[in-house]
C-alpha cells in the first residue's frame, strides 16, 4: 500500500490561480502525477457547493418570473371580473330601458353592454394565458439542470 504526501500549499503556482471566491490554490499533483485523495475530495466538495448555490439562484430567478406571471394573470382575471359585473349591470339597465321606452336609447345601452362584454372576455383569455405560462409552479429549468448534474456525477463516479 502506498501513501501520498501533499506538499505544503504555495500561494500561486505558475500558470494557476485560485478559483473565484477562494484564497486556496487549485489541487496539485504529487511527485507521481496524481492528486491526493484529500485534495480531490476537497475540490469536489467545493465544486458541489458552488453548483448548489448556482442551482438555488436559478430556481429563485425562475420562481420570481413565475410569480410575476401569476400576479399579472390574476390581475387580468380580476379586471375581467369587474368588467363582467359592470356588463351585467349595463345589460340590466338595457333591459329596463328597452322595456320602458321603445326608443333608440336602449340600442345605445346595448352597444355599451356588448363592448364591455368583449373587453371582459378579452381580459379573461389574456389572463388565462398568463396563468398557463406560469404553471406548473415548480422551477422546471432548475429541476432539469439538477437531473443533468446528478447524472454527470453518477457517470464520473463510475469511472
Amino acid at each position: 500500500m502506498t501513501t501520498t504526501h501533499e506538499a505544503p500549499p504555495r500561494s500561486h503556482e505558475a500558470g494557476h490561480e485560485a478559483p473565484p471566491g477562494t484564497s486556496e490554490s487549485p489541487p496539485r499533483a504529487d511527485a507521481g502525477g496524481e492528486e491526493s485523495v484529500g485534495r480531490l475530495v476537497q475540490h469536489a466538495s467545493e465544486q458541489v457547493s458552488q453548483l448548489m448555490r448556482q442551482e438555488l439562484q436559478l430556481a429563485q430567478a425562475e420562481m420570481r418570473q413565475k410569480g410575476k406571471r401569476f400576479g399579472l394573470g390574476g390581475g387580468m382575471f380580476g379586471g375581467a371580473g369587474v368588467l363582467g359585473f359592470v356588463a351585467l349591470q349595463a345589460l340590466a339597465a338595457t333591459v329596463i330601458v328597452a322595456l320602458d321606452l321603445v326608443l333608440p336609447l336602449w340600442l345605445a345601452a346595448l352597444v355599451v353592454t356588448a363592448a364591455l362584454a368583449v373587453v371582459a372576455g378579452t381580459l379573461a383569455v389574456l389572463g388565462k394565458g398568463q396563468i398557463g405560462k406560469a404553471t406548473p409552479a415548480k422551477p422546471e429549468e432548475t429541476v432539469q439542470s439538477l437531473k443533468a448534474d446528478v447524472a454527470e456525477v453518477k457517470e464520473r463516479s463510475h469511472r
Side-chain angles (χ1 to χ4, degrees):
M1 182 166 135
T2 61
T3 59
T4 59
H5 296 283
E6 189 176 327
R10 296 179 211 156
S11 59
H12 289 285
E13 293 181 2
H16 296 293
E17 290 193 18
T22 66
S23 59
E24 298 179 26
S25 60
R28 293 182 307 279
D30 65 4
E34 294 193 17
E35 296 178 25
S36 72
V37 173
R39 291 293 288 165
L40 287 172
V41 169
Q42 180 185 5
H43 186 65
S45 176
E46 290 170 356
Q47 287 180 333
V48 167
S49 294
Q50 182 181 9
L51 180 63
M52 288 299 113
R53 282 191 297 273
Q54 290 171 342
E55 294 294 352
L56 182 60
Q57 289 172 348
L58 176 62
Q60 288 172 337
E62 193 174 343
M63 292 306 290
R64 271 193 299 272
Q65 180 184 22
K66 287 182 181 269
K68 287 178 185 178
R69 288 184 186 226
F70 267 120
L72 185 61
M76 288 181 178
F77 267 130
V82 167
L83 288 178
F85 182 70
V86 171
L88 286 176
Q89 290 177 335
L91 180 62
T94 302
V95 171
I96 292 171
V97 170
L99 291 174
D100 190 35
L101 303 170
V102 184
L103 297 174
L105 179 61
W106 67 269
L107 186 58
L110 187 59
V111 168
V112 169
T113 301
L116 288 172
V118 167
V119 170
T122 301
L123 285 175
V125 169
L126 292 174
K128 184 178 186 296
Q130 287 297 316
I131 296 286
K133 289 179 184 177
T135 55
K138 66 182 180 183
E140 294 172 328
E141 291 176 27
T142 303
V143 170
Q144 292 301 324
S145 179
L146 282 172
K147 286 180 181 178
D149 294 342
V150 168
E152 180 73 18
V153 168
K154 284 182 181 178
E155 180 184 326
R156 289 180 185 245
S157 69
H158 287 100
R159 288 184 187 176

